[in-house]
Every structure is written in structure tokens, then in C-alpha cells.
Amino acid sequence: MLNIHNLSVAFGGEYLFEEISFMLNSGDRVGLIGKNGAGKSTLLKLLSKDTMPDTGVIASDKEVKIGFLRQDIDFEQGRTVLEEAYQAFEEIKELELQLDDINRQLTERTDYESESYNQIIIDLNDVTHRYEILGGYNYQGDTEKILQGLGFLRQDFNNKTDTFSGGWRMRIELAKLLLQNNDVLLLDEPTNHLDIESIIWLEQFLKNYPGAVVIVSHDKMFLDNVTNRTIEISLGRIYDYNKPYSKYLVLRSEMKAQQLNAQKNQQKEIQQAERLIEKFRAKSTKASMAQSLIKKLDKIERIEVDEDDNSVMSLRFPISVTPGKIIVEMEGLSKSYGDKHVLSGIDLLLERDGKTAFVGQNGQGKSTLAKVIVGDLEYNGHLKLGHNVQIGYFAQNQAEYLDGTKTVLDTMIDAANEKTRSKVRDILGSFLFRGDEVEKYVRVLSGGERNRLALAKMLLQPFNVLVMDEPTNHLDIKSKNVLKQALINFEGTLILVSHDRDFLQGLTNKVYEFKDRKIKEYLGDIDYYLDQRKVEDFRAIEKKEKNPESKQKIKNKNTDYKGQKLMKSLKNRLSTAESKIATLEKEIKEIDHELLMNYDTTIEKPNFFDNYQKKKKELEELMKNWENITIQLEELA
């Protein structure tokens, strides 16, 4: 499908990767891993042909369609969710415009016997046939299924895209990509803005995807559940194994151990040969043997052990001044967005030095309450910050606020004050921005590098309370561990919004679960919270809440009987609709054929065009009805 041969890319005279080669075939689900800045996003841009390599080629089969989910998206304002999702069907939408134009001409024109009128009929048949082949009668139903799978509700479909957050707009872009029937999917951090329920749905979709998928992600569980192959970019080389992430790590470790043992044994053999050479050189009778050993040594191919890139950022959050005992106090706090009530009657008291986790599904108000605390949102009710409270805030989309036209160094200098300006280069160095890297423009940074820069920028302002909303998005696994250790060592007060159990483990001492506009307190760490919920992880909570078997199975037999009766009724209606659709499609096809073969006699029939249009309209209504019944059946199942 795709053949990548001797691909090289260099920045500032240094190779990001050099002469890498691999193949992508149908059914490959590749996890592309490596530390931030290793070249993962760059490789995706090369595969999508957004950029060109310095050397090497990417060969592909003819007409291979490649879909790319970028980290940065740009929507045209004014479109609704459905209208934006329909952009996935460019040819179908063009054909619809052509059909509208043809039908308008048929109703307006009366020159039935002219050559141009006959051509319109031929065009109508051709366009209709192409429309059917492309799935023109099904694409709307398919779009709604994908959007619902990614967490949208039906009432969201007609809302404007610019009323949604960046995370939800990313979901629309992902929906468009999944609807396009691409041969190759390139997904750059697809789970960053998805809640657990949507991640589980996406996992199932990708498992059944027939084409090739390349995924950049730092979600270990997602990679293990979806991928069947791992490619790691490290120090300009790639390591390619047909194993999901966790199994790849084990295999890579075993192979490195084998390399070390083989290298040690080879070194022993080389040292023994060198001793013999020195011994034989002094004797004329043994000189030929010494020469023979030297030639043998020269031919030995030295065993090399794969290097690991162990460079990690250095992070420490200093506390500014000691605040009062009470950090934040709220009573009866509520927040709504128009008619949508997110939080209602919240009572909360947070004390100094506490480390608190906000958990729950997306849309339950975690980020909203964090924004209320830092003063970014208005609210109803009472909220009071304590004495000397200075808040540092890391938003979920913090990296989006960075100016792409500035360099890394200028970004930091502009954010610094007189006291911190002299520390800018030291701070950047601790976040792995060293040497010429500080002169890079923000727009060329990877998602992980932008997050590192946003974290570095936070250190330029004093704070004693740290509010962080999904700070691990885009961070590689090593950087996550460094951030976690820095938060453990932070002597101030921490409020953390996250759905990453590995990250939260051992980090917080209090958990608030957000659900149904309320919050529930758990006085313990994340493991205590999960133990109280009697599950192993957040995914299990989602599955448990969705799975009817985890609730009271069925209240009574009558409820079960009603469900079966409704299911049977819907199936009967579906069968009837399918039968009528088949009959109408056959009739319309016969009329189209008759028009082509006996045009003059056909159009003379009484009310011919009215009946013809009536049949087509009836078919359209039947198709909509069929889609609605199908959706009801799926929801009932």
C-alpha cells in the first residue's frame, strides 16, 4: 500500500531521522511512538504528502486515499455540526447540486423534443447512477451514527461549530475522516479530546478498520487495545516490531539484553585474539599466524547495542508565598451555558496543601469548575478565595494560546518580568530547549514541545495554588513521569483535572467525582476512589454505567416483553420500508431506461414528469424513514 524507502529529514543541519525504511499494508495498525520532538508528527506529514522529505521516496499503489487527523484544525465559520461533517462527501454534495440544477431545468423547460432537453435526461440518468454508487442515499444516516459514536447528541447536530470547544471541533474533524473511506488513516493524538466512552467507541471502530492506520498517541492502554505493530523513532533511527506497545517494550528490552550479552562475548573473543597477536608478533615463526589473526579481526562486524534517548525535562514548581488555611470556599455555586445546566448547588471547601483530583465524564463540569476557580468564567452563587492565594493555571488547550509567529525564546522573554527575565534560558534548558532550539518558531513545534513550552512559561509567574486541566495531553511517557514527580514534590495546593489513572496514582489525597451537575467527595487517593466504585479503572466505570447488566438487570418481565415487542415492530417496519424502496428503485430505473430508448413517446404520457418526480420524492422519504428505523433499532439493541 505504502512503501517508505530511505527517508531523511533534517532541521538546522541535524537529522530528525535518517534513511528510514518500512512498509504499510492493509490491516496494519501502527503505534508510532517516541519522545516529544523525535519526529512523529513530521513523519505523519510526510506520509500525507503535506511536506516533502530531504531524501528518499514514498511509493504507493494507484489511487490510494490518505486521511490525516492533524493537531491543528481550522473550520469555516457559520456551518452547523452536520454541515461540517458533510464536507467529508465532496463529490456527493457536488452531485446533489447538479441534480437540483437538472430538476430545476426539467420543471422550467418545455422544449421536450429538442436535442438539449434530451441531453438533460441523459445527464439526469448518469448523475443519479453515480450518486447511488457513492452512497448518496445513505451518507446522512452514516454521518449521524459516527457523530453519535463520538459523543454528539442529536440536539447538537444543528448547532454552529464555533459554539463548541477545540476538543469538540476535533471530534467533528475525526468524524469527517472516518466517513471518507480512506485506505490509510493517519491519526495524531486522536484521544486527547475524547472522554472514555468515545475512546472505547473509537477503539472498536479502528479494530474493524480494513485499511492501514498509523497512530501517534501517548495513551498506553489505547495503543495496546488498537495496535498490532509498533514503530519507535529514537535518535534518528526507527525500531519496527509486529507487537502492540507493552509487548514491544518487553521485546525491545529482551533484544537489548541479548545485544549486550553478545557484545560482551564478542569483546572477550577480540581481547583474546589481541593478546595472541601481541604474543605471536615477537616470534618470527609465529608472524604469519599473527597476520592471519589481524585479518580475521578486521573482518569481524562489531556488535552495536541500540542506544536509548533518555533525555528528559527537569521540572520543579516553586511556591511563592504561604497562603491562608482556606484556599477556596464555595456555597450554592451553579453554572449554565444558556439552557444547558452544567453545575448546580455546588458546596466545596479546599484547604491549603491539599492535592485534589476532579474526575468524571466529559461535559460533567470538571473544566468549568476549574475555570470558575481561576476567574475565567462567571457563575451564580458564592465563591471566595483565601488570603494570599496566587493561582497558576494550565488550561486543557494551553498550547493553543501560544503565538506561532514568535520564537521559543521570544515567547518566554515576553512573558517574563524583571525578576524572572534572567532565568529564561535556564528554564528553557531544563525543558529540553537548548542551544539553537530556542530560536525555533512556535508554529513548527510538535504538540508535546508546545505543552513543554506552556509549562515552562508558567514558571515565570509566582503561584502557591496550581490548577491543571489535562496537563498530560501531548506529553510523551517520560515527560509525564517527570511532571508527575514535580507535582508530588510541589509544596503548594494542587487541583488536577485528569482521566489518566497511571498519572493520578499516588498524586492526590482527595477525589471529587462530577456527575449529573453535582460533585461527590472521596477522602483518599485515586485507588481508594476506584475501590469505592468497585472497579479497576475509569474505563470500567464507563462500561459499568453503560452496561445494563451492571445495574438491576430487568425490573420485571413486562418491561422485557415491551422491549421485545417494540423491537419486533421496528423490524417489521424496516422490512416493509426495504421492500417499498426496492420496488420504487426498480420502477425509477425502468422509467430512466424508457426515457433513453423511447424518449418522444414517453414524455407524451399524461402527467409524466409529475409522476416521475413524485416517485423520486417518495423514494427519498422512504430512505429517511429507513434511516430513522435503523437508528431506533440500534439504540434499542
Side-chain angles (χ1 to χ4, degrees):
M1 189 174 286
L2 282 182
N3 185 6
I4 294 86
H5 183 64
N6 286 346
L7 214 62
S8 298
V9 171
F11 287 110
E14 290 188 11
Y15 279 104
L16 197 57
F17 40 77
E18 185 176 9
E19 294 188 350
I20 62 172
S21 300
F22 60 94
M23 289 186 69
L24 284 178
N25 300 303
S26 292
D28 282 347
R29 293 188 292 278
V30 180
L32 185 60
I33 64 170
K35 77 178 190 69
N36 293 143
K40 303 183 298 294
S41 295
T42 298
L43 184 54
L44 291 189
K45 289 174 183 175
L46 292 169
L47 295 177
S48 68
K49 300 181 181 173
D50 277 11
T51 59
M52 299 302 292
D54 294 332
T55 64
V57 293
I58 301 174
S60 64
D61 298 338
K62 287 184 178 180
E63 298 181 356
V64 166
K65 291 174 63 180
I66 299 175
F68 183 18
L69 179 70
R70 297 166 179 81
Q71 289 183 10
D72 301 316
I73 56 173
D74 186 24
F75 283 167
E76 183 179 311
Q77 288 195 346
R79 288 179 182 153
T80 65
V81 172
L82 271 181
E83 286 169 346
E84 185 62 45
Y86 289 159
Q87 299 306 306
F89 306 98
E90 289 183 22
E91 189 174 353
I92 287 177
K93 300 302 288 183
E94 287 175 9
L95 291 173
E96 284 184 339
L97 292 174
Q98 290 180 41
L99 286 171
D100 288 343
D101 184 55
I102 290 170
N103 286 322
R104 180 186 57 76
Q105 291 185 59
L106 287 174
T107 56
E108 291 177 356
R109 294 179 59 160
T110 57
D111 54 333
Y112 305 132
E113 298 180 6
S114 68
E115 185 67 30
S116 60
Y117 195 90
N118 184 49
Q119 186 59 48
I120 292 173
I121 299 298
I122 295 171
D123 292 344
L124 176 64
N125 188 61
D126 291 344
V127 174
T128 302
H129 181 63
R130 180 66 180 162
Y131 187 74
E132 289 172 354
I133 289 173
L134 292 175
Y137 295 115
N138 302 322
Y139 79 93
Q140 293 176 334
D142 292 340
T143 301
E144 292 181 9
K145 287 177 198 172
I146 295 290
L147 287 172
Q148 287 179 312
L150 289 171
F152 287 94
L153 302 174
R154 283 192 168 277
Q155 53 263 39
D156 297 328
F157 289 172
N158 293 317
N159 293 339
K160 303 290 185 185
T161 57
D162 46 22
T163 64
F164 289 87
S165 67
W168 284 97
R169 289 201 294 272
M170 183 66 79
R171 294 190 195 203
I172 301 170
E173 191 68 15
L174 180 57
K176 286 160 61 177
L177 201 63
L178 301 182
L179 287 163
Q180 286 171 349
N181 295 321
N182 292 294
D183 302 298
V184 180
L185 276 183
L186 308 174
L187 306 178
D188 198 354
E189 299 283 9
T191 63
N192 271 356
H193 300 288
L194 300 183
D195 56 27
I196 307 299
E197 185 177 342
S198 297
I199 290 173
I200 293 169
W201 178 90
L202 181 60
E203 285 177 355
Q204 200 57 46
F205 183 96
L206 293 176
K207 283 178 186 177
N208 299 321
Y209 191 75
V213 185
V214 182
I215 304 165
V216 172
S217 178
H218 301 120
D219 185 330
K220 293 184 287 185
M221 188 176 290
F222 180 74
L223 289 173
D224 282 340
N225 287 344
V226 172
T227 62
N228 54 20
R229 180 178 169 191
T230 300
I231 295 178
E232 180 180 10
I233 304 177
S234 179
L235 299 173
R237 298 179 59 188
I238 65 166
Y239 301 89
D240 185 358
Y241 294 96
N242 290 320
K243 298 285 183 185
Y245 178 73
S246 293
K247 291 181 179 178
Y248 159 76
L249 288 181
V250 174
L251 185 62
R252 179 106 149 75
S253 177
E254 290 174 352
M255 291 190 71
K256 190 174 178 183
Q258 290 172 4
Q259 285 176 337
L260 280 168
N261 288 331
Q263 189 186 56
K264 285 178 183 177
N265 292 333
Q266 188 184 63
Q267 287 295 329
K268 287 178 182 177
E269 291 175 11
I270 291 170
Q271 288 168 6
Q272 176 67 17
E274 287 173 342
R275 281 195 295 269
L276 288 172
I277 289 167
E278 289 299 318
K279 184 178 179 182
F280 292 157
R281 264 180 179 161
K283 299 179 181 179
S284 58
T285 56
K286 302 285 186 180
S288 60
M289 189 177 290
Q291 287 299 318
S292 176
L293 284 170
I294 290 170
K295 288 178 181 178
K296 187 178 178 182
L297 270 183
D298 289 340
K299 290 179 181 178
I300 290 177
E301 189 174 336
R302 299 303 199 264
I303 295 171
E304 293 183 1
V305 178
D306 294 335
E307 290 183 68
D308 286 330
D309 189 348
N310 293 314
S311 58
V312 293
M313 64 179 181
S314 173
L315 180 56
R316 179 175 173 270
F317 293 112
I319 188 170
S320 55
V321 295
T322 302
K325 185 179 180 183
I326 303 301
I327 296 298
V328 61
E329 181 180 9
M330 58 185 76
E331 291 180 8
L333 189 141
S334 299
K335 175 62 184 174
S336 300
Y337 296 97
D339 295 331
K340 186 178 180 181
H341 302 290
V342 181
L343 298 169
S344 178
I346 302 298
D347 298 327
L348 180 66
L349 180 70
L350 295 179
E351 296 184 347
R352 184 180 60 218
D353 301 337
K355 287 185 167 62
T356 304
F358 287 176
V359 303
Q361 289 179 311
N362 277 11
Q364 295 293 331
K366 306 185 300 296
S367 297
T368 296
L369 191 59
K371 289 176 182 176
V372 165
I373 291 171
V374 302
D376 277 5
L377 288 179
E378 295 181 354
Y379 56 89
N380 293 318
H382 172 77
L383 182 145
K384 181 182 178 183
L385 294 180
H387 177 66
N388 269 348
V389 167
Q390 297 175 337
I391 297 178
Y393 176 46
F394 187 92
Q396 188 173 144
N397 57 341
Q398 187 75 37
E400 293 178 16
Y401 295 114
L402 299 173
D403 187 344
T405 62
K406 291 182 180 179
T407 65
V408 170
L409 183 60
D410 288 341
T411 299
M412 292 288 285
I413 289 174
D414 291 347
N417 54 35
E418 288 183 9
K419 289 183 179 179
T420 57
R421 194 164 287 122
S422 60
K423 301 177 183 177
V424 162
R425 283 189 178 271
D426 290 338
I427 292 172
L428 284 174
S430 69
F431 280 82
L432 302 182
F433 293 108
R434 296 163 184 159
D436 292 340
E437 289 187 336
V438 300
E439 300 300 335
K440 279 185 177 179
Y441 283 98
V442 170
R443 63 173 175 268
V444 304
L445 299 180
S446 70
E449 288 173 319
R450 289 188 191 189
N451 253 29
R452 290 210 312 261
L453 179 57
L455 283 168
K457 193 177 169 186
M458 284 187 65
L459 300 187
L460 296 172
Q461 302 300 328
F463 55 82
N464 48 34
V465 176
L466 189 50
V467 180
M468 306 193 87
D469 190 354
E470 300 290 1
T472 60
N473 283 354
H474 301 294
L475 288 183
D476 61 57
I477 292 159
K478 288 179 181 177
S479 296
K480 277 187 186 182
N481 293 336
V482 171
L483 175 59
K484 179 175 178 177
Q485 193 57 50
L487 293 176
I488 289 172
N489 296 333
F490 179 53
E491 295 178 356
T493 305
L494 176 66
I495 300 170
L496 187 60
V497 179
S498 180
H499 64 260
D500 187 332
R501 178 188 175 175
D502 289 337
F503 185 71
L504 288 173
Q505 229 166 6
L507 184 52
T508 60
N509 51 32
K510 187 185 292 185
V511 175
Y512 284 98
E513 181 183 37
F514 286 64
K515 188 177 180 184
D516 298 330
R517 300 186 295 279
K518 299 291 184 182
I519 61 173
K520 184 176 180 180
E521 184 182 61
Y522 291 83
L523 296 174
D525 65 3
I526 199 66
D527 287 333
Y528 172 79
Y529 159 71
L530 293 170
D531 181 63
Q532 291 296 300
R533 294 295 308 270
K534 294 182 171 55
V535 291
E536 293 183 2
D537 53 35
F538 295 141
R539 289 169 177 252
I541 290 173
E542 299 293 341
K543 288 178 179 178
K544 187 175 181 181
E545 289 178 350
K546 284 190 73 182
N547 185 356
E549 291 180 3
S550 66
K551 300 177 181 179
Q552 185 178 356
K553 284 192 174 182
I554 298 171
K555 288 185 178 179
N556 52 55
K557 291 183 180 180
N558 187 44
T559 305
D560 187 41
Y561 171 74
K562 285 181 179 178
Q564 291 177 359
K565 191 174 180 182
L566 179 58
M567 178 81 79
K568 187 176 180 181
S569 172
L570 287 170
K571 284 181 177 179
N572 288 337
R573 286 170 58 194
L574 187 68
S575 178
T576 302
E578 287 173 346
S579 177
K580 288 181 178 178
I581 288 168
T583 302
L584 266 176
E585 284 178 338
K586 185 179 178 183
E587 289 175 3
I588 291 170
K589 193 174 181 181
E590 287 173 353
I591 294 171
D592 289 339
H593 180 73
E594 191 178 349
L595 272 170
L596 288 173
M597 302 303 295
N598 304 295
Y599 174 74
D600 292 335
T601 55
T602 302
I603 63 171
E604 290 177 359
K605 293 179 181 178
N607 301 320
F608 167 75
F609 283 109
D610 288 341
N611 292 331
Y612 182 56
Q613 293 300 327
K614 186 178 178 183
K615 285 182 184 292
K616 294 188 74 174
K617 194 168 183 181
E618 188 179 348
L619 177 61
E620 192 177 330
E621 291 298 322
L622 278 169
M623 291 300 295
K624 286 181 181 176
N625 186 38
W626 177 87
E627 287 172 7
N628 289 331
I629 296 170
T630 304
I631 290 166
Q632 288 180 61
L633 275 169
E634 288 176 353
E635 289 174 348
L636 194 60

